[in-house]
Amino acid sequence: MSVRVVYSKSFGVKYKASVCSKAFILYVVITLLTFTLPLLFCYRSSGLWIKYEKYREQPMVQFKLQYLLYAETSDPTSPVICGNFPRTLRTTGFCSTIKVIEEDINIDGKKEYLDLELYLTTNETLDIHSITLLLIFDFKIQDLCLLEMESMAVITHSSGLPGGRLDVFGDLNLVQKTPLVCTPRKPIRMNRPILLFESPDWLVNIYEEYSKRTLSTKLDNVLVKWTRGRSYQMPFLIKTKINYGSVEILYKPKFWQIMKWAWIQYFSILVLSVFIFKKVKRFLFTNHIVTTKIERSM
């Protein structure tokens, strides 16, 4: 015949000791270790406090219809320069046609790519051997951090063979030297003009000043096709497609985000620490390793 439990009652056992006893000192040491060891473990492993965080966002990018084309020719003393910039720079070529298409494929208010065609008309006796094209963009992010800046993409290619066409494909990517300090009401603005022609060696100066920026853009995953040969009556064609994909943004987290991450690390190890030291205390006191006074309650 089977037997069932119809009533149960637990008996409690208390181990007591005076404040100055070895048992009490051992209890204090174990309690301190229970809560401090997880803290030390977190701090010494990968750091308790996160110094920076990152996320991905598709930026709002718009081509400003500002560009600069610098082409080196068969005559080293006669580079071809054209673009839409101040008249202080003397042009030696003519960009006869420029076609620009920016499309928002998924209709989310953010353009996905730039499709650009540029036709360069030159002197009939010159061959094109090198192309440098600077494109200027408005670049904005706004989901978690607020950033507005004028940025640039540089396309450059050279060949020993005279060319008639250059096809370029790439992704516009964000370059950060320091994490962003994000504030919801104060956007970071970097709207200083990039194309400045104040110095005689203006192209080197543009590169130097742009390289000093803590935030900039560049072309990644660049694929280039150089097509050689053209009739002198035909313009040199530059065709490029630049994708505006999502970028990785590095930023400094706020106080509560730091505390949340610290608590998750600390609590996960604290649970294990409490379990282990509870077993240690049970072993020490039940086996009378130290002297205590035992009280039993019904």
Side-chain angles (χ1 to χ4, degrees):
M1 188 176 187
S2 63
V3 178
R4 304 292 182 180
V5 177
V6 294
Y7 177 74
S8 65
K9 182 179 179 181
S10 300
F11 290 90
V13 180
K14 296 181 180 179
Y15 296 82
K16 294 185 176 182
S18 63
V19 176
C20 298
S21 65
K22 293 181 179 179
F24 185 81
I25 294 173
L26 183 62
Y27 165 76
V28 172
V29 171
I30 291 175
T31 303
L32 290 175
L33 289 176
T34 301
F35 293 96
T36 56
L37 281 182
L39 186 64
L40 292 174
F41 182 82
C42 293
Y43 183 79
R44 297 294 297 176
S45 57
S46 60
L48 182 62
W49 317 111
I50 54 173
K51 297 179 180 179
Y52 61 86
E53 190 58 272
K54 55 188 175 181
Y55 74 101
R56 297 192 67 85
E57 176 186 344
Q58 182 175 349
M60 295 182 65
V61 184
Q62 184 173 6
F63 180 47
K64 297 183 68 173
L65 298 177
Q66 296 180 17
Y67 67 95
L68 172 65
L69 176 62
Y70 184 91
E72 294 184 359
T73 65
S74 51
D75 183 357
T77 62
S78 300
V80 177
I81 305 171
C82 71
N84 53 351
F85 37 76
R87 297 183 181 275
T88 53
L89 183 65
R90 184 175 63 88
T91 60
T92 56
F94 177 55
C95 296
S96 58
T97 307
I98 178 171
K99 298 180 181 179
V100 176
I101 298 175
E102 288 182 297
E103 189 171 354
D104 181 7
I105 299 176
N106 55 6
I107 317 178
D108 63 348
K110 299 178 180 180
K111 298 179 176 63
E112 271 70 45
Y113 68 87
L114 165 68
D115 200 340
L116 182 143
E117 292 184 14
L118 184 61
Y119 295 84
L120 173 63
T121 303
T122 63
N123 188 304
E124 293 185 355
T125 61
L126 295 178
D127 290 320
I128 304 296
H129 286 272
S130 175
I131 289 292
T132 298
L133 178 61
L134 312 183
L135 304 174
I136 306 300
F137 298 89
D138 269 331
F139 188 96
K140 297 179 181 179
I141 58 175
Q142 57 186 9
D143 283 356
L144 185 58
C145 300
L146 299 179
L147 169 65
E148 300 175 4
M149 71 173 178
E150 180 175 286
S151 67
M152 178 172 68
V154 179
I155 297 171
T156 179
H157 186 75
S158 60
S159 174
L161 300 174
R165 173 171 174 158
L166 176 65
D167 293 272
V168 181
F169 305 89
D171 302 325
L172 190 69
N173 200 11
L174 178 66
V175 179
Q176 286 185 255
K177 295 181 181 178
T178 57
L180 294 178
V181 179
C182 301
T183 53
R185 298 181 180 179
K186 188 178 180 182
I188 302 169
R189 290 189 172 92
M190 303 177 64
N191 294 322
R192 186 174 181 269
I194 296 173
L195 297 181
L196 299 175
F197 307 97
E198 299 170 355
S199 114
D201 200 357
W202 49 267
L203 186 56
V204 173
N205 186 63
I206 290 174
Y207 284 171
E208 182 180 0
E209 292 299 319
Y210 194 67
S211 67
K212 293 178 181 177
R213 293 176 51 162
T214 56
L215 289 169
S216 59
T217 55
K218 69 172 184 176
L219 280 186
D220 283 339
N221 304 323
V222 181
L223 300 174
V224 178
K225 173 65 169 63
W226 178 270
T227 304
R228 65 177 183 175
R230 67 181 177 93
S231 63
Y232 289 117
Q233 292 78 20
M234 297 294 294
F236 186 93
L237 171 60
I238 302 171
K239 183 176 176 59
T240 178
K241 184 172 183 179
I242 299 176
N243 300 307
Y244 304 151
S246 61
V247 297
E248 189 175 85
I249 300 162
L250 197 68
Y251 70 97
K252 290 185 178 180
K254 298 295 184 181
F255 173 78
W256 289 114
Q257 186 176 0
I258 295 174
M259 294 304 297
K260 180 182 70 174
W261 175 246
W263 171 249
I264 291 173
Q265 293 184 88
Y266 178 73
F267 183 75
S268 61
I269 302 175
L270 178 63
V271 171
L272 182 61
S273 177
V274 170
F275 175 78
I276 293 174
F277 282 107
K278 187 176 181 180
K279 295 289 186 181
V280 171
K281 285 193 295 183
R282 178 180 296 177
F283 173 80
L284 293 175
F285 293 123
T286 56
N287 290 280
H288 307 289
I289 305 298
V290 289
T291 303
T292 59
K293 181 181 179 181
I294 302 175
E295 288 187 1
R296 291 181 172 85
S297 60
M298 299 298 292

